Amino acid sequence: MDKKIKKILIKTKRQVFSEISGNNPSIFKGEGFNFIELREYLPGDDVKKIDWLISAKLQKPYVKVYQEERELNIIVAFMLNGSMYFGSVEFKHIIAAAAGAIIGFSAIKNQDSFSYYIFADKLYKSIKSTKNINAIQEMIENIANFNPLGKSDNFKDLTKRLFKIKRKSLIFIISDFLEDFDFKLLSKKHEVIAIIIRDRLEEEPKEFGFVNLIDPQSGDSAVLDMDSYTKNEYKKEIKRKDHFMYEHFKKNRIRFTKIYTDEEPFIKLLKLFGRR
């Protein structure tokens, strides 16, 4: 086994099985999916559970009450296009593998069903739902050995495939989200959580002067003067893309976290799910 793969496997497994304690053995809790009743809205209730049609008729806010399912269906979908093969500290796709492993081990520990999809311009690998812990090692190996260079993203096909999953699921989509995407319909059927993987150099580039840049998706190259003007224009474009991303997540009630290549995925995921 490759040393990098072994390190991810040992570290993430130890974190999940040794460092997560308490009554809830998982770092996440999905929404309850079995509807029981309607009741009046109380301060602190999740507004996502408000039944707007009933509320409008009764002139009071009412929420749907659910009974949490004993078993969750956890899906981790990786978008490994060319830009994921980058990192000033660690490659983004390796950080993605670690984040996916933490989610996978947590699902297995909690006796939830787990499956994963490796996507770029098309589907490269997927497995059916399983509770077999060996699936986590297989996933890490597939991602670590995957070459994103020269591959474009295809969020449209990914979301179509995920939407077809019949059972309502807790879906983690892991990507750098530097390209356009639309999770509006997907988030209506499933609970979607976005894990953003970035390198700080992508958001705060340095003034390198003349550099030869290569597009990791198309392979095209160009000489560019990375002076203060170019740097500022680049940052404006990144902020524009991120503004769309955050607004899209907010509008569609998609939880998210951003993990940089110099950060610990385990800590960021714990914070995302409200565990300290």
Side-chain angles (χ1 to χ4, degrees):
M1 186 189 301
D2 181 270
K3 289 183 179 180
K4 187 180 290 290
I5 296 172
K6 187 175 182 180
K7 182 180 178 180
I8 295 173
L9 187 65
I10 293 173
K11 183 177 181 180
T12 55
K13 187 176 182 179
R14 184 187 69 244
Q15 288 173 326
V16 172
F17 285 89
S18 300
E19 298 182 25
I20 297 179
S21 57
N23 294 326
N24 177 22
S26 174
I27 65 169
F28 46 76
K29 293 182 71 176
E31 293 182 336
F33 302 138
N34 295 327
F35 174 72
I36 299 177
E37 63 178 354
L38 283 169
R39 65 164 171 78
E40 284 193 47
Y41 175 86
L42 297 174
D45 284 340
D46 186 354
V47 295
K48 190 176 181 180
K49 294 184 173 65
I50 293 177
D51 188 313
W52 296 105
L53 182 61
I54 297 297
S55 298
K57 289 181 178 180
L58 300 178
Q59 297 298 302
K60 289 182 180 180
Y62 275 78
V63 296
K64 293 179 179 179
V65 179
Y66 295 89
Q67 179 180 23
E68 188 173 26
E69 288 188 334
R70 183 183 64 81
E71 179 184 303
L72 298 174
N73 190 44
I74 310 297
I75 298 171
V76 184
F78 300 88
M79 179 55 74
L80 301 182
N81 53 302
S83 60
M84 289 293 283
Y85 193 77
F86 177 79
S88 59
V89 178
E90 179 59 272
F91 283 108
K92 290 191 289 184
H93 72 289
I94 297 300
I95 298 297
I102 291 166
I103 295 167
F105 279 130
S106 186
I108 299 298
K109 183 182 180 182
N110 203 38
Q111 298 184 338
D112 292 324
S113 298
F114 167 79
S115 61
Y116 69 88
Y117 292 76
I118 296 177
F119 228 89
D121 53 324
K122 62 180 182 180
L123 177 64
Y124 284 88
K125 179 70 178 180
S126 66
I127 63 166
K128 293 182 179 179
S129 293
T130 182
K131 295 182 181 180
N132 189 337
I133 198 169
N134 293 328
I136 312 301
Q137 179 178 331
E138 176 192 288
M139 178 187 72
I140 297 172
E141 290 177 342
N142 284 330
I143 295 172
N145 294 324
F146 186 81
N147 183 12
L149 286 175
K151 296 180 177 65
S152 60
D153 65 276
N154 192 339
F155 276 110
K156 187 175 181 180
D157 279 2
L158 173 62
T159 52
K160 279 184 177 179
R161 187 175 292 269
L162 295 174
F163 187 83
K164 290 179 180 178
I165 297 171
K166 294 181 179 180
R167 180 183 173 188
K168 187 168 184 179
S169 305
L170 183 59
I171 299 178
F172 294 83
I173 300 180
I174 303 181
S175 172
D176 55 19
F177 295 99
L178 290 172
E179 303 296 334
D180 294 339
F181 60 90
D182 187 352
F183 299 152
K184 181 179 179 179
L185 288 178
L186 185 64
S187 64
K188 290 183 181 298
K189 183 175 182 180
H190 301 287
E191 183 177 358
V192 179
I193 298 175
I195 310 296
I196 309 159
I197 310 295
R198 293 280 180 86
D199 190 273
R200 296 189 190 277
L201 196 59
E202 289 176 312
E203 299 179 1
E204 191 62 45
K206 298 179 180 179
E207 295 178 23
F208 292 109
F210 285 97
V211 290
N212 184 25
L213 299 178
I214 300 176
D215 186 326
Q217 295 192 171
S218 66
D220 296 337
S221 64
V223 176
L224 185 69
D225 184 5
M226 185 58 78
D227 55 12
S228 59
Y229 174 79
T230 305
K231 172 184 173 181
N232 290 333
E233 290 299 305
Y234 170 84
K235 288 174 65 176
K236 286 179 183 178
E237 179 63 14
I238 290 292
K239 287 181 179 180
R240 184 193 67 79
K241 287 178 177 292
D242 281 358
H243 177 74
F244 162 80
M245 177 180 70
Y246 292 132
E247 286 299 309
H248 187 75
F249 291 159
K250 182 180 179 181
K251 184 177 180 181
N252 295 289
R253 299 188 180 98
I254 296 172
R255 286 184 289 168
F256 65 90
T257 188
K258 180 184 288 187
I259 306 174
Y260 289 101
T261 57
D262 62 350
E263 290 185 313
E264 175 52 62
F266 183 71
I267 300 299
K268 298 303 288 282
L269 290 174
L270 286 181
K271 288 182 179 179
L272 173 65
F273 291 98
R275 296 177 62 91
R276 300 292 185 266

